[in-house]
Structures are given as structure tokens and as C-alpha cells.
């Protein structure tokens, strides 16, 4: 495998669906962080044919795992300290997400009310359905 | 403090209490004639809906309270660009309870989040119109004596009809309900509704002709078939008469079948049916006032006990 430098403290996000790493990079707002980020695309995987990996060198409290859980809760989150994996976090679907996605329903109050947060609520955990808190419109595409 | 955003906000048990109160108000109007004295209802209507607004105002006046408000956005501060959040904070200073109608879905919920007085959703776009649904339930319960063990026919525009979808969601909480969906192919019940019924194991059938099933119904809920739902005038003209309820079709129905309609009707029920004892759509409008009276008292915390103390 391609060799990317080891990180001392941070995260390795593994088993990202191939091709989706850049989108996650943006949703986690890693572009706004002043830290080392490595994105590996199309790595070979035993579990999935191809996968993406993101390595982030940062304080372990800096990542919003709710957003990650919302985007794809099958991603493996490895927490790294002193160059070693100290924890594998299980992601779950957050009950509510705020200002991650916008409601696209033009008839929704979020389209005109200023300063209103866009909130989506998990209404069906089995089918992984999120709905706008205000108009109940289904979120069609997670990311 | 409680608000009313959706008909499902209340449990079926809470609804029983609300309906009992509404029926008591119907029987003993004088007992409740002063219960809201000194209280004010604000009707904040960002789009005109004269019928709903007058029903709310009549309800508050029947309770001895007073009303204030606006009846469309152009005559209000909304025209100057004020947000719903700001408006409700101001209205909270003027009134004790608010009924809000808004073309944008979820607007009353935004108001409820910022309000220091109870907010009633009086219709938010194509989303919810809980007082209509509660009116329907009260009418059925009052005139049938039950909300369970019913075969219910819903006829007309089942595709876009917010009223019928909302009523179905409310009725599936009761036992032994069976639905017959009577509509043209073009206006069939959407699949997300029928899927929901299948998941809950609730029986339903889809029928094209009203005559084919009217004899099995305990209740027939008629809705408007609107011209703008059709691609061409021919289809509209053909289908509007197809779904017209007249004396001839009604002659096939049970003697105790009820005919409901959210009103206004256009031509889907012939006026010759109006005098039939089974036609209860005008009584339904009367129940609309009683349910709003019961709701206002309940949300203001002025219920049963105090009503009893007054007399
Ligand atoms: Zn929305």
C-alpha cells in the first residue's frame, strides 16, 4: 500500500466508500483546520473492493462525530494517540443534526425565515430517514 | 405550555377528553359563555382563509373572550419583512393564545418555539391543518358514537388532499378501521400512504366507481376534484361528474351512513342531497367551532373543572 506518514495524535477514518472522501473532507470542514490531512483514494480493501481513507492529525476532541455518523455510520473511526490506535469508535445515526444540510423544500419556512437553523430529525432509524423538523420533508440525499 | 401543531400531538386518550369537553360545550353552551372572559385570541393569518379564521373567532367569542389579529400578510408587518419569530414575540405581549395560518410549512412551529403563549397551527401550506382533522374526528365520534369499527370511504382527490391524508393518520390509531379509496386513476392515494397502511396491517381497497362500494360504507368523506389537477379540460369534465354524489348514488348507501366534506364544496355533492339526514357537512362546520372552543380552553388551562365551578 501507498505509504503515508504515521500520525501521532488524531484520527484515521477507514472504510469510507470509494470516491466519497473529498465530500467528507468538506462536511467535516477539514479545510478550515490548520492541521495535516492525508486523503487516500481507492485503497484496496478486504472488506470492500475499494475504499477511501482520511488521516487527520489533530486534537481528538476536534471532530464532530455526529456529522460523520449522519453522512455514513459504517465508517470506522480509529482514534490515534502516541502513534497507536487507542480506540475504535462506533458511529451511530444522530437523532438530530443542525445546519449540516439545508431543507430543499421551497414551501418550507426555512426558505424565508432569517436566522433559523436547518434541523433534520431521525424519524425512521431502520430506513435511516431524516426529515426537516419544520416541514417534515424527507432528506433525499445524505451527501 | 402546550401548542397544537399536528393532530397527532395529542394521545388518543387526551383526544377523548378534548371531545368530551367539546360535547359538553355543545350541550351546555351557557356554562362556558364566560370562561374566557378577559382573555384574547390573536388570529395571525398570513394568507386569507376566511372560514377557518371566523371559526376560531366564533369559538373565542362563544367563550366570552375577545379576538384581534390580521387576515392576510399584506396588511401585516410580514409585508415589511418581519420574521415569524419576531411577530410571535410581539403578539405574545398582546394576546393569551394565537391561531396562526401561514403559506410556509412549519411556520407555526417556528412561532411556537419563540412564543410565550400557546400557538395553534391553523394551517401551514400543504403540511398540516390539525383543527380540520380534529373537527372531522369530533363529527364522526359525536354522530357515530365511536371512532373504531368503521368502514370509511374517501372519495375524490386522494393524491393531493392534505385533509384526507391527515385524517387517515389520525384514524389509524383506532381499532378495526377499514378504508376504501375511491378516486380516478390520476388522483390515486400516494404509495407512501398505502405503504404506511400495509406496514400497520390496516385494510384498504382502491375503487374507481363510488357506486361499486357505497353500500358497504359507514362514512363517506367527499373532497373536491380541482380543475387545476388535470392536464386537459376533457378529463376534468368527465371525472367531476363521475364523482358527483347525487340522490341516485346515495340511494344505494346504508341508512346510517354519514357524508362528510371539509367545505367549501363546488359541485361534488349535488344540493339535492343536502336535506338528506345523512348529509352532515354543515353540522361538521358547527363541530368545528366546538372543537376550537374545547381546544382554546384546554390550551389555556381552563378546562372541565373550572367550567363546572362557574355554573
Ligand atoms: Zn423544511
Amino acid at each position: 500500500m501507498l505509504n503515508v506518514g504515521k500520525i501521532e495524535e488524531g484520527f484515521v477514518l477507514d472504510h469510507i466508500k470509494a470516491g466519497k472522501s473529498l465530500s467528507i473532507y468538506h462536511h467535516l470542514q477539514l479545510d478550515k483546520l490548520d492541521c495535516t490531512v492525508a486523503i487516500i483514494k481507492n485503497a484496496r480493501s478486504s472488506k470492500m473492493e475499494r475504499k477511501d481513507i482520511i488521516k487527520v492529525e489533530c486534537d481528538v476532541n476536534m471532530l464532530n462525530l455526529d456529522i460523520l455518523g449522519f453522512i455514513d455510520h459504517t465508517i470506522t473511526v480509529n482514534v490515534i494517540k502516541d502513534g497507536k490506535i487507542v480506540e475504535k469508535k462506533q458511529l451511530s445515526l444522530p437523532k438530530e443534526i443542525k445546519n449540516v444540510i439545508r431543507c430543499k423544500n421551497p414551501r418550507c419556512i426555512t426558505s424565508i425565515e432569517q436566522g433559523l437553523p436547518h434541523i433534520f430529525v431521525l424519524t425512521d432509524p431502520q430506513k435511516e430517514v431524516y426529515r426537516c423538523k419544520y416541514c417534515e420533508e424527507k432528506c433525499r440525499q445524505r451527501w | 405550555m402546550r401548542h397544537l401543531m399536528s393532530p397527532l400531538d395529542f394521545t388518543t386518550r387526551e383526544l377523548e377528553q378534548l371531545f368530551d369537553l367539546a360535547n359538553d360545550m355543545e350541550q351546555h353552551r351557557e356554562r362556558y359563555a364566560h370562561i374566557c372572559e378577559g382573555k384574547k385570541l390573536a388570529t395571525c393569518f398570513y394568507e386569507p382563509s376566511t372560514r377557518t379564521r371566523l371559526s376560531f373567532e366564533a369559538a373565542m367569542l362563544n367563550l366570552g373572550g375577545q379576538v384581534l389579529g390580521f387576515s392576510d400578510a399584506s396588511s401585516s408587518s410580514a409585508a415589511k419583512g418581519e420574521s415569524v419569530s419576531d411577530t410571535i414575540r410581539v403578539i405574545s405581549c398582546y394576546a393569551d393564545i394565537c391561531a396562526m395560518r401561514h403559506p410556509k410549512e412549519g411556520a407555526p412551529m417556528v412561532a411556537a418555539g419563540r412564543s410565550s403563549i400557546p400557538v395553534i397551527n391553523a394551517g401551514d401550506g400543504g403540511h398540516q391543518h390539525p383543527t380540520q382533522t380534529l373537527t372531522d374526528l369530533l363529527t364522526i365520534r359525536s354522530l357515530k358514537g365511536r371512532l373504531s369499527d368503521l368502514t370509511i370511504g374517501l372519495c375524490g382527490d386522494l393524491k393531493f388532499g392534505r385533509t384526507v391524508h391527515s385524517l387517515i393518520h389520525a384514524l389509524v390509531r383506532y381499532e378495526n378501521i377499514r378504508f376504501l379509496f375511491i378516486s380516478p386513476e390520476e388522483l390515486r392515494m400516494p404509495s407512501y400512504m398505502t405503504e404506511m397502511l400495509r406496514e400497520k396491517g390496516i385494510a384498504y381497497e382502491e375503487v374507481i366507481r363510488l357506486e361499486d362500494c357505497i353500500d358497504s360504507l359507514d362514512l363517506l368523506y367527499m373532497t373536491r376534484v380541482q380543475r387545476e389537477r388535470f392536464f386537459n379540460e376533457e378529463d376534468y369534465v368527465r371525472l367531476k361528474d363521475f364523482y358527483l354524489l347525487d340522490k341516485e348514488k346515495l340511494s344505494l348507501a346504508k341508512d346510517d351512513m354519514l357524508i362528510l366534506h371539509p367545505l367549501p364544496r363546488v359541485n361534488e355533492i349535488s344540493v339535492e342531497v343536502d336535506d338528506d339526514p345523512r348529509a352532515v357537512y354543515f353540522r361538521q362546520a358547527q363541530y368545528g367551532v366546538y372543537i376550537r372552543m374545547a381546544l382554546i380552553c384546554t390550551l389555556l388551562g381552563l378546562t372541565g373543572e373550572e367550567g363546572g365551578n362557574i355554573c
Side-chain angles (χ1 to χ4, degrees), chain B residues 147-165:
Chain B
L147 285 165
S148 54
D149 308 299
L150 292 169
T151 299
I152 298 163
L154 298 146
C155 179
D157 180 358
L158 306 183
K159 188 175 181 183
F160 300 98
R162 161 185 73 177
T163 316
V164 293
H165 300 169

Side-chain angles (χ1 to χ4, degrees), chain A:
Chain A
M1 190 198 272
L2 176 78
N3 207 348
V4 178
K6 269 178 86 168
I7 58 175
E8 279 302 309
E9 181 173 355
F11 294 95
V12 175
L13 309 179
D14 202 356
H15 303 112
I16 298 170
K17 281 190 195 92
K20 295 293 185 186
S21 51
L22 270 176
S23 165
I24 288 181
Y25 176 84
H26 288 294
H27 270 98
L28 289 177
Q29 303 192 320
L30 296 176
D31 52 332
K32 299 205 174 99
L33 291 185
D34 195 16
C35 57
T36 310
V37 177
I39 295 176
I40 302 159
K41 273 184 65 184
N42 292 322
R44 259 174 231 112
S45 162
S46 50
K47 271 199 208 167
M48 21 204 323
E49 224 164 79
R50 295 273 166 177
K51 65 178 181 181
D52 287 5
I53 303 167
I54 302 178
K55 294 187 180 191
V56 190
E57 180 129 51
C58 70
D59 186 317
V60 291
N61 300 313
M62 288 200 30
L63 215 62
N64 185 339
L65 292 178
D66 266 3
I67 296 181
L68 206 55
F70 171 73
I71 295 171
D72 185 351
H73 64 99
T74 63
I75 292 171
T76 311
V77 180
N78 300 291
V79 183
I80 313 292
K81 263 187 183 163
D82 301 324
K84 289 196 181 78
I85 297 175
V86 292
E87 195 188 345
K88 276 187 188 282
K89 278 193 194 275
Q90 268 310 309
L91 291 176
S92 57
L93 289 167
K95 290 207 165 59
E96 192 179 287
I97 48 149
K98 203 172 179 178
N99 290 332
V100 178
I101 41 166
R102 297 181 67 80
C103 181
K104 292 198 176 75
N105 176 5
R107 301 174 310 276
C108 178
I109 186 64
T110 52
S111 66
I112 56 162
E113 181 87 355
Q114 25 169 320
L116 192 64
H118 285 237
I119 298 172
F120 277 77
V121 181
L122 179 64
T123 54
D124 186 342
Q126 244 123 58
K127 290 185 188 153
E128 302 181 13
V129 176
Y130 281 86
R131 287 182 186 275
C132 171
K133 180 185 169 185
Y134 307 101
C135 71
E136 296 180 74
E137 181 98 337
K138 231 191 226 178
C139 154
R140 302 240 165 254
Q141 204 184 1
R142 292 255 214 99
W143 50 306

Side-chain angles (χ1 to χ4, degrees), chain B residues 144 199 285:
Chain B
K144 274 280 172 207
E199 274 170 24

